[in-house]
Amino acid sequence: MTEVTMEKIVSLAKRRGFIYPGSEIYGGLSGFWDYGPLGLELKNNIKNLWWRMFVQERDDMYGVDAAIIMQKKAWEASGHVAGFSDPVVECKKCKRRFRADHVSIKYQKNELGKILAGKEKWVCENCGADNEKFEVRQFNMMFKTYVGPTEDESSTSYLRPETAGGIFVNFKNIIDSFHPKLPFGMAQIGKAFRNEIAPRDFVFRAREFEQMEIEYFVREKEWKESFEIWREQSLGFLKSIGVEKSSIHELEVSPEDRAHYSKRTIDFEFDFPFGRKELFGLAYRTDFDLSRHEASSGVELKYLEEGEGKFIPHVIEPSFGVERIILAVLQTAYTEDTLGKEARTYLKFNPAVAPVKAAVFPLLKNKPELVAKAREVYTSLKKNVPQIMWDDNGNIGKRYRRQDEIGTPVCITIDFQTLEDDTVTVRDRDTGKQERVSVSELEQQIKVN
Ligand SMILES: [Zn+2]
């Protein structure tokens, strides 16, 4: 079995144009990453498959794309201004700040699970100074900004730390425009920002990231049933992109550890090279969010049902981090083996997420008749399967290795026989096996979504 390390994934991701460190020519900026051509295609495939499964193929889901910056009051109502913070301690000598729970495990928590104080002494891992006191401060992780020309308290706002807020503030709009019947959901894919004290583990804990979130509104008595359905459907989505249920571990979050308003939360964890960590989450948030926004905005956020009257619906929230899923997909796909006595590294992507569905080559690039025929095949396929790559660089063996490494499921070679009978060689990424396929059947063979 292949030992998959972060070094191997990070190195392949950079070398082959998936993910680069942000602001790299200036020495980088911790917690920010840039996507190259292949990483972007991979990311778009994952987002598009999610959107199709959870929004387009359903009749009970409403998509939104809300503004990233919202009224400060919305973040006060959601509890983020007061409570979206990590406990930190500051080194007296170098002033570097650390997460309190990274410095000490012997701390006391208050009833909301916030770290209050820890052991008396701790050693700074940056400068080695002995710190006598363990003074905990709360550090709000929202990025602060100013809206408009004045920089004062009244113009302060934040880059959203999660996409869910933009869903709740549009609840009334969806009710008014579409009159949906309960249960129904609202979905959003978009960027979110958290000023993490310690960004780490490649794209796993970054300061700018993307979320795919659903708020599924139900009657209170339906929550358990709906929660189970979402648990299965969430796992079904992961399976459809190549991450099997068997590699996911469900952690039932205990009452002390979950948010006070949540009556049930499951963290779905994955064995990353740096440990078992959360891949996505599912939470029953009761009617907390809409109630808070109703109280704070003064706008009624109730649902009117025949015979039942008005009430605030309860909500089930499946929440996915796009980058964490990308990382799990990359790790699952990363394979080292030997093919034809030659060691190789390849990405065994499920074709649905593969950034390139097929590569097309002329056998020789100095034979105009082969190049012309290959171009014809390539152009024709690209019309309906846009994720097709042209490659005529180096010999065939090198092209195969290169395509294997970026996870292209099949390579199509146009050779002299093609000119006679209109068949091509189709070579399979995983087995290396080749077969002759008629040009007219190619599209059918490579079309996966
Ligand atoms: Zn220090």
Side-chain angles (χ1 to χ4, degrees):
M1 228 181 102
T2 308
E3 195 213 344
V4 187
T5 62
M6 283 311 284
E7 290 70 29
K8 289 178 183 176
I9 294 176
V10 174
S11 153
L12 187 150
K14 180 164 172 12
R15 187 170 71 248
R16 289 302 184 197
F18 285 85
I19 304 171
Y20 306 110
S23 310
E24 194 181 9
I25 62 167
Y26 289 101
L29 185 60
S30 180
F32 296 91
W33 298 90
D34 294 344
Y35 282 74
L38 297 179
L40 179 57
E41 295 294 332
L42 172 63
K43 178 151 85 160
N44 285 341
N45 288 343
I46 290 170
K47 292 196 290 185
N48 291 342
L49 287 162
W50 187 92
W51 193 257
R52 189 195 299 171
M53 177 183 276
F54 291 132
V55 181
Q56 293 171 335
E57 289 179 357
R58 302 174 63 118
D59 299 324
D60 61 347
M61 199 66 81
Y62 298 84
V64 290
D65 184 17
I68 286 173
I69 295 177
M70 302 202 301
Q71 264 265 7
K72 183 168 66 172
K73 281 181 184 167
W75 299 116
E76 287 166 357
S78 66
H80 285 87
V81 172
F84 195 66
S85 54
D86 262 354
V88 294
V89 288
E90 189 176 280
C91 173
K92 64 171 185 200
K93 191 167 165 214
C94 71
K95 305 293 177 199
R96 180 81 73 92
R97 287 176 171 185
F98 301 91
R99 268 173 62 160
D101 57 341
H102 288 175
V103 170
S104 166
I105 50 164
K106 288 186 260 168
Y107 41 72
Q108 290 123 35
K109 287 183 174 180
N110 70 3
E111 69 278 10
L112 293 174
K114 287 253 178 273
I115 294 172
L116 295 177
K119 64 179 180 184
E120 287 300 295
K121 286 184 179 179
W122 60 282
V123 177
C124 173
E125 69 178 58
N126 181 47
C127 72
D130 277 322
N131 284 276
E132 295 295 325
K133 280 189 186 155
F134 191 93
E135 275 180 328
V136 177
R137 305 178 190 191
Q138 297 302 326
F139 171 76
N140 196 298
M141 291 199 290
M142 286 197 292
F143 279 99
K144 214 181 226 186
T145 187
Y146 300 99
V147 177
T150 52
E151 293 190 3
D152 60 23
E153 193 51 35
S154 67
S155 66
T156 300
S157 194
Y158 306 92
L159 303 189
R160 68 182 176 203
E162 57 171 44
T163 56
I167 294 181
F168 290 118
V169 300
N170 280 291
F171 174 79
K172 188 178 185 305
N173 285 332
I174 296 301
I175 297 275
D176 292 346
S177 302
F178 300 95
H179 313 288
K181 296 265 174 286
L182 278 179
F184 72 92
M186 291 171 64
Q188 175 162 236
I189 298 178
K191 293 257 186 180
F193 305 82
R194 294 180 188 178
N195 196 3
E196 294 283 352
I197 297 152
R200 58 176 66 186
D201 301 323
F202 193 33
V203 294
F204 181 86
R205 191 179 300 285
R207 288 174 166 143
E208 175 175 341
F209 55 100
E210 232 171 329
Q211 289 186 309
M212 306 187 286
E213 289 196 302
I214 291 166
E215 302 301 332
Y216 197 73
F217 300 102
V218 299
R219 299 171 189 90
E220 185 176 3
K221 62 182 182 208
E222 295 168 326
W223 82 263
K224 283 187 177 140
E225 187 193 349
S226 184
F227 194 95
E228 285 309 318
I229 293 170
W230 279 106
R231 167 202 230 156
E232 284 311 311
Q233 289 183 345
S234 300
L235 290 168
F237 167 69
L238 267 295
K239 188 176 161 61
S240 77
I241 57 170
V243 181
E244 293 294 330
K245 202 172 171 173
S246 58
S247 64
I248 295 168
H249 311 277
E250 294 188 18
L251 176 75
E252 191 77 48
V253 180
S254 66
E256 310 84 74
D257 287 336
R258 65 185 179 231
H260 64 94
Y261 47 79
S262 174
K263 290 208 179 141
R264 190 175 180 198
T265 300
I266 298 180
D267 287 348
F268 293 82
E269 299 186 318
F270 182 84
D271 288 315
F272 291 103
F274 44 85
R276 185 171 287 184
K277 295 279 163 89
E278 185 182 340
L279 179 61
F280 67 99
L282 180 62
Y284 167 43
R285 299 177 60 90
T286 68
D287 59 356
F288 174 79
D289 307 272
L290 287 179
S291 300
R292 289 285 295 245
H293 285 299
E294 180 178 272
S296 177
S297 67
V299 175
E300 189 176 84
L301 298 177
K302 291 189 176 66
Y303 182 84
L304 174 63
E305 189 160 52
E306 270 321 297
E308 296 285 328
K310 281 182 179 176
F311 57 93
I312 291 181
H314 282 230
V315 75
I316 308 291
E317 180 189 77
S319 175
F320 299 83
V322 177
E323 288 78 3
R324 291 178 179 199
I325 291 172
I326 289 174
L327 196 50
V329 164
L330 279 172
Q331 186 185 330
T332 305
Y334 191 98
T335 314
E336 290 166 348
D337 69 358
T338 43
L339 188 69
K341 292 179 186 162
E342 208 183 317
R344 66 163 179 165
T345 296
Y346 73 108
L347 292 175
K348 203 175 183 169
F349 282 137
N350 180 313
V353 298
V356 179
K357 304 295 185 233
V360 177
F361 328 139
L363 178 66
L364 301 165
K365 71 170 174 183
N366 56 2
K367 295 283 176 198
E369 63 274 37
L370 287 184
V371 174
K373 181 66 185 170
R375 272 279 165 197
E376 184 192 310
V377 171
Y378 167 78
T379 309
S380 152
L381 287 175
K382 214 168 165 61
K383 274 183 209 147
N384 292 318
V385 187
Q387 290 173 322
I388 301 273
M389 188 182 271
W390 172 265
D391 194 354
D392 60 6
N393 219 335
N395 65 38
I396 285 284
K398 281 203 178 118
R399 296 179 206 165
Y400 285 159
R401 290 295 106 77
R402 197 155 53 225
Q403 293 299 328
D404 287 350
E405 212 178 8
I406 64 171
T408 307
V410 293
C411 292
I412 297 164
T413 305
I414 282 74
D415 55 20
F416 292 104
Q417 197 183 325
T418 314
L419 304 176
E420 287 164 22
D421 64 4
D422 224 31
T423 63
V424 294
T425 305
V426 173
R427 182 258 191 191
D428 180 84
R429 172 195 68 200
D430 302 349
T431 62
K433 289 213 176 84
Q434 302 185 13
E435 55 170 350
R436 297 294 302 183
V437 174
S438 165
V439 169
S440 61
E441 288 164 18
L442 275 177
E443 187 178 315
Q444 202 50 42
Q445 191 158 341
I446 60 173
K447 207 170 176 180
V448 287
N449 51 20

